[in-house]
Amino acid sequence: MSNTVTLIPGDGIGPDITDATVRILEAAGADITWDTHLAGVAAVDTFHTPLPTETLESIRTTHIALKGPLTTPIGTGFRSINVALRKEFDLYANVRPARTLKSGGRYEDIDLVLIRENTEGLYVGVEHYIGMGDDPRAAAESVMIITRYGAERIVRYAFDYAVRNGRSKVTLAHKANILKFTQGLFLEAGRRIAEEYAGRVEFEDRIIDATAMHLVLNPYQFDVLVMENMFGDILSDLMAGLVGGLGMAPGGNIGRDAAIFEPVHGSAPDLVGKGIANPTAMLLAGCMMLDHLGQTETSNRVMTALVSALRAGETITPDLGGSASTQAFADEVVRRLDQTG
Ligand code: NAD
């Protein structure tokens, strides 16, 4: 696999957390050549589009990107640049790990992974208003689209992920009791795929609302979770909340031919120019990217130094209760990299 990675610093705090992340990955000895490109608001002035052809061409060539948060400009016709990227490269699996890195949160030792279908469901954006009388917006309709193909490939991805990572159980969460057709198809396809892994990975299916409650009451009963797009969007944020919030949450968007890794949080306009954004989620996304490239040893080194810096708690950013700048935190992680050899 080539080691050239498309780097998209992004908007708002994106460039700050990207600088910090690149510095740490390079200090850890990551074998990567960066091909840096613009997207989002940062691209509009130069390219008159938030998603320039040059950026897409780079990802088409490298097949892998590390991306900062992108501000979705209002009024340019893009519903969301992130959704457009997922569609362009058919990045059907959104992988969202939730791991306790710093104790003192609601729970200790959480280690969960949510696999979210990233291309179907209500987020296909098929929606319209229905006019009645003199009210053109008297009603609105959104269409949830689930295909057998899409459901099977995401559940298969979840099982393959479990096998690859030595995980023991996959929970499929759904609402087939009410949405008999769409959610029913997702469940039916999931149960069929689960049979192929019988004896290797345990399988259970649960209703989505009960799953949300059980995740909060006792998250330890779960391992890998798989669900359709919107349920996954919501529950993955809930899971981020179990381990300290969005600042600690990375995500991978994986397709057959390309993968894009990113922090889950947005461009944090309120922190721009202050130099105090927490680069942890971006760095964790960088570690997922290293794993994807097969550079697991380097990824593990970065994780060890990161966890050690977070647990020491002396040089951490304000969102975690400290007073350190983004750069000071990055320096601290680099220092700990050096200590661990
Ligand atoms: P946000 O995630 O940017 O901010 C929410 C809150 O979390 C803010 O208080 C912010 O200061 C804080 N926060 C976020 N990241 C942080 C970090 N690394 N360190 C410390 N604090 C952090 O969400 P928002 O304000 O709703 O969205 C701002 C913009 O980002 C919008 O244009 C939105 O469309 C975009 N967005 C992009 C992505 C993405 O690119 N993946 C995801 C979500 C939102």
Side-chain angles (χ1 to χ4, degrees), residues 13 67-72 82 246 262-271 277-278 319:
I13 59 169
K67 183 186 86 56
L70 302 177
T71 302
T72 297
N82 294 308
L246 292 184
E262 62 185 351
V264 166
H265 61 71
S267 52
D270 51 324
L271 298 183
N278 182 357
D319 57 305

Side-chain angles (χ1 to χ4, degrees), residues 234-269:
I234 297 167
L235 280 208
S236 56
D237 273 25
L238 182 151
M239 280 168 39
L242 296 175
V243 295
L246 292 184
M248 311 294 268
N253 299 283
I254 318 281
R256 257 187 41 176
D257 301 320
I260 300 180
F261 298 90
E262 62 185 351
V264 166
H265 61 71
S267 52

Side-chain angles (χ1 to χ4, degrees), residues 53 178 299 310 325 338:
T53 313
I178 305 290
S299 163
L310 288 170
S325 67
D338 294 340

Side-chain angles (χ1 to χ4, degrees), residues 95-311:
V95 179
R96 295 267 309 258
R99 252 183 85 185
T100 307
L101 299 180
K102 186 177 182 306
S103 54
R106 199 164 294 267
Y107 290 101
E108 300 298 326
D109 301 324
I110 300 275
D111 184 9
L112 300 167
V113 180
L114 189 142
I115 312 283
R116 161 189 170 194
E117 205 293 322
N118 223 7
T119 59
E120 298 192 339
L122 280 172
Y123 289 12
V124 291
V126 179
E127 55 180 356
H128 57 258
Y129 289 112
I130 300 165
M132 287 181 209
D134 58 3
D135 183 355
R137 295 183 177 191
E141 189 173 58
S142 297
V143 181
M144 173 181 276
I145 293 176
I146 301 282
T147 66
R148 186 181 300 284
Y149 170 77
E152 285 189 354
R153 76 172 171 171
I154 194 65
V155 177
R156 191 182 297 286
Y157 186 94
F159 274 99
D160 286 341
Y161 182 96
V163 170
R164 259 199 327 275
N165 293 281
R167 291 184 173 262
S168 57
K169 183 164 91 170
V170 171
T171 301
L172 183 153
H174 63 86
K175 193 72 185 174
N177 51 330
I178 305 290
L179 299 168
K180 308 249 181 225
F181 288 68
T182 46
Q183 291 294 308
L185 178 57
F186 192 85
L187 176 59
E188 178 193 313
R191 282 181 173 157
R192 201 194 71 69
I193 296 299
E195 282 169 16
E196 295 176 19
Y197 295 82
R200 286 191 288 160
V201 181
E202 195 189 327
F203 174 72
E204 64 173 4
D205 57 74
R206 293 194 187 211
I207 308 283
I208 186 72
D209 34 341
T211 306
M213 180 194 65
H214 285 295
L215 268 168
V216 173
L217 283 180
N218 175 16
Y220 304 107
Q221 63 191 299
F222 297 99
D223 190 349
V224 175
L225 297 99
V226 63
M227 59 203 71
E228 65 86 32
N229 207 338
M230 187 165 76
F231 291 164
D233 191 12
I234 297 167
L235 280 208
S236 56
D237 273 25
L238 182 151
M239 280 168 39
L242 296 175
V243 295
L246 292 184
M248 311 294 268
N253 299 283
I254 318 281
R256 257 187 41 176
D257 301 320
I260 300 180
F261 298 90
E262 62 185 351
V264 166
H265 61 71
S267 52
D270 51 324
L271 298 183
V272 174
K274 295 186 178 159
I276 53 166
N278 182 357
T280 297
M282 184 79 175
L283 187 57
L284 290 169
C287 287
M288 290 178 79
M289 179 204 70
L290 286 178
D291 290 337
H292 189 82
L293 287 170
Q295 299 186 34
T296 39
E297 220 171 281
T298 313
S299 163
N300 290 342
R301 264 195 81 206
V302 174
M303 281 299 283
T304 305
L306 171 65
V307 170
S308 149
L310 288 170
R311 294 208 169 147

